[in-house]
Amino acid sequence: MARVAGVDIPDNKRVEIALRRIHGIGPTAATRIASQAGISGNPKVHEVPDEQLTRIREIIDHEYTVEGDLRREVNDNIRRLIDIGTYRGLRHRRGLPVHGQRTKTNARTKRSGRRTVAGKRRVMKK
């Protein structure tokens, strides 16, 4: 397995798909990194020469914030919002949706698990 930015990327996947395993690199960034490294045709990771893998590591190290640094930066931003008492910080503190989504229905992952609603029995017709 190749190791890029502290993450083992799988050898049996295509380069652009394997790079997405790194936190902070999505489809667009993966395509851009592969083209900057001079990789064409989207080969599998084990088919890529070592010098191109080294080039991928350099590009990610110099141009992208990934993994631990990115997680720390996001947590610091959330902590700052909470500390200064903004509405978004309050929503983070209470564990509710932050970006204006509805909460009467459809906020189960942020609030709690599935709940059974009483009084919704089906009436059987004769």
Side-chain angles (χ1 to χ4, degrees):
M1 281 195 157
R3 194 159 180 85
V4 179
V7 177
D8 290 331
I9 59 174
D11 285 337
N12 58 346
K13 292 190 182 284
R14 303 271 175 201
V15 172
E16 293 177 12
I17 302 299
L19 285 176
R20 296 185 203 179
R21 290 284 181 97
I22 301 168
H23 181 76
I25 295 180
T28 307
T31 306
R32 190 176 300 133
I33 290 167
S35 65
Q36 283 179 343
I39 297 172
S40 61
N42 199 14
K44 292 193 175 187
V45 174
H46 65 85
E47 298 169 354
V48 176
D50 287 339
E51 57 270 2
Q52 286 183 333
L53 282 175
T54 305
R55 180 77 180 120
I56 288 173
R57 285 187 196 100
E58 290 172 0
I59 291 168
I60 291 174
D61 287 342
H62 296 314
E63 297 179 21
Y64 292 91
T65 305
V66 292
E67 284 299 321
D69 294 336
L70 179 62
R71 292 178 206 271
R72 191 174 313 105
E73 187 176 322
V74 169
N75 284 331
D76 288 345
N77 290 339
I78 293 171
R79 183 68 39 216
R80 179 182 50 83
L81 291 172
I82 291 171
D83 289 343
I84 63 178
T86 62
Y87 181 74
R88 281 174 55 201
L90 181 79
R91 301 296 284 182
H92 275 292
R93 190 175 348 155
R94 290 183 181 171
L96 293 168
V98 177
H99 294 291
Q101 298 93 330
R102 66 178 346 203
T103 56
K104 185 174 182 179
T105 61
N106 299 335
R108 289 289 175 234
T109 55
K110 281 299 272 186
R111 288 170 37 215
S112 65
R114 184 173 291 219
R115 291 190 185 133
T116 306
V117 179
K120 284 226 167 185
R121 291 193 181 140
R122 274 182 46 199
V123 178
M124 301 297 284
K125 293 184 178 181
K126 290 186 178 182

